Each structure stands twice: as structure tokens, then as C-alpha cells.
Amino acid sequence: MTNSRPDPETAILLMPYEFSHANKAFSLIFLKAKAPASVTETPFGSFLSLTSYLTTQQSRSLRSTLYSRLALLMIRNMVDDSSLMAILHHEDTKSRIRICRQRQPFLPVVTKERKLVEGLIDICVGGIDHNLRRRLDVELYLYATLRYR
């Protein structure tokens, strides 16, 4: 019974997904939020780090698949808006992003701050590399293409 419940850390994705889907102002504030003094990652950088882990591990269980899909849909909602995409490219929104390196092939280690869009690209490449040998997730691709027609 406890295996079917989501982890508390992962269930937190439901709230920002709903907010970012319904309100672009939330996404703008989420992208521009600065890191606290004692932390090196911005809130969106932490979200990207979690997304990296989820997309790398998504073929392990149904729960991982669903939460990685939710995180990627949230990113897609942000990328679809041109003003938010401009913020992802901007020099002022740099953050440290931890890319998951638990499975091969390993991406190179980057310890400095970098643009958020660079982290997005690494997450996509890592997710494709780690799940390419698995069965294709047709539902996600159909949902992504049919939603905007």
C-alpha cells in the first residue's frame, strides 16, 4: 500500500504545475526568483535538478514515469511562452543545476552557474539517453502533439 503513494518531495510538483498552467505570472516569478544567501541553487534550478533525476529514473516505475511527465509538461508550458523563454536565455537567470549522474552514459560535470536553458537541454539529452532503450512512451507524445492543435 505504501509503494503506491508518492514521496512527499515528489508530490510537491502538483502545486507548481497547477499554478504555472493557470497563471503565467507564477511562472515568471518562479523563473526570476533568486537563491537564498546560504543556497547556491535558485528555486527553478532546484526544480530542474529534481526533473533531471526524474527523467533519468522514469523507466524504473510507473510513479517515476508520471512525475517525470508532470515535470516535463510544466517545463513545456514555460517554453511555449516566448516571454518566459527569453528569461530562460537571459544572463541574469543563471543558476547551479545538478544533473543526475546515476546511470550511464554520464554527462560531463559542470559545477559553475549557467543559463537555465542549458540545464533544460542537458535534462532532455539525459532523459532521451537513459530511456531510449525502453519502450516508447506514446501517450506522452500523443498528448503533447494533440494538445496544441
Side-chain angles (χ1 to χ4, degrees):
M1 178 78 77
T2 58
N3 288 340
S4 64
R5 295 182 188 160
D7 292 336
E9 296 86 12
T10 313
I12 197 75
L13 286 175
L14 294 171
M15 182 184 61
Y17 172 74
E18 288 293 326
F19 284 150
S20 68
H21 185 67
N23 188 356
K24 294 298 179 187
F26 172 81
S27 299
L28 180 70
I29 292 169
F30 189 39
L31 287 174
K32 287 187 169 185
K34 300 292 182 193
S38 62
V39 182
T40 59
E41 279 183 330
T42 63
F44 192 71
S46 296
F47 168 73
L48 290 179
S49 298
L50 175 63
T51 303
S52 172
Y53 175 78
L54 288 172
T55 56
T56 302
Q57 307 294 329
Q58 80 176 0
S59 60
R60 303 264 172 154
S61 70
L62 178 62
R63 182 176 50 197
S64 298
T65 302
L66 294 175
Y67 280 110
S68 66
R69 181 181 298 177
L70 184 66
L72 290 173
L73 286 174
M74 184 174 163
I75 289 171
R76 193 190 73 200
N77 283 340
M78 291 181 181
V79 170
D80 283 345
D81 188 354
S82 60
S83 62
L84 296 177
M85 189 62 184
I87 293 171
L88 289 170
H89 284 277
H90 203 270
E91 289 289 328
D92 291 342
T93 56
K94 286 186 173 183
S95 177
R96 183 175 175 268
I97 301 166
R98 291 172 285 131
I99 302 298
C100 183
R101 290 178 175 76
Q102 294 181 348
R103 297 173 61 192
Q104 291 185 359
F106 302 117
L107 291 171
V109 178
V110 179
T111 56
K112 62 179 181 160
E113 288 186 349
R114 55 196 182 145
K115 293 180 185 179
L116 297 175
V117 73
E118 295 171 0
L120 284 175
I121 292 170
D122 283 348
I123 289 168
C124 293
V125 168
I128 290 170
D129 281 347
H130 292 105
N131 298 300
L132 198 57
R133 294 173 192 87
R134 307 288 182 225
R135 202 175 73 201
L136 182 64
D137 188 4
V138 177
E139 271 182 45
L140 178 64
Y141 294 111
L142 286 176
Y143 177 75
T145 56
L146 296 178
R147 182 174 176 203
Y148 287 104
R149 288 186 183 210

